[in-house]
Amino acid sequence: QALAELLAARELREFPLTRQCEIGPFVVECLFAEQALIVELAPTDARLKFLTDMGYRVLAIDPRELTRHPRRVLRRLRTALNG
């Protein structure tokens, strides 16, 4: 729920995204295809390795940080989206 609210933020509207997207054997939380950026809540090391080997950048978000500091997470996401 908190991630969905974050992704709906006005600051992110300019970036097209796909939610619950299949990539290989995984369903990722969110994909910003134009930026080759995946947003994941607490991904495993194997998942991170697979996705980065496929050429994606992965923004791993700790669920506790998302709950406690959503604006900080939003800033990290904006920074990652802008390059």
Side-chain angles (χ1 to χ4, degrees):
Q1 178 67 22
L3 182 58
E5 290 174 14
L6 179 81
L7 294 172
R10 181 176 57 238
E11 296 94 332
L12 300 178
R13 289 189 186 146
E14 68 187 271
F15 301 100
L17 68 96
T18 303
R19 295 180 193 201
Q20 300 295 309
C21 177
E22 270 188 53
I23 298 179
F26 300 109
V27 176
V28 299
E29 300 281 342
C30 174
L31 169 65
F32 291 90
E34 290 178 19
Q35 293 78 16
L37 178 68
I38 292 172
V39 177
E40 284 283 285
L41 290 174
T44 64
D45 289 342
R47 191 175 178 111
L48 277 173
K49 181 175 177 359
F50 177 84
L51 294 170
T52 56
D53 286 350
M54 294 290 295
Y56 293 99
R57 295 179 299 134
V58 179
L59 179 63
I61 299 174
D62 182 311
R64 291 172 301 205
E65 181 185 12
L66 181 59
T67 302
R68 294 178 185 154
H69 306 286
R71 299 299 300 172
R72 181 187 306 164
V73 173
L74 181 59
R75 281 193 306 272
R76 285 180 49 218
L77 179 52
R78 275 294 294 196
T79 299
L81 286 166
N82 287 319

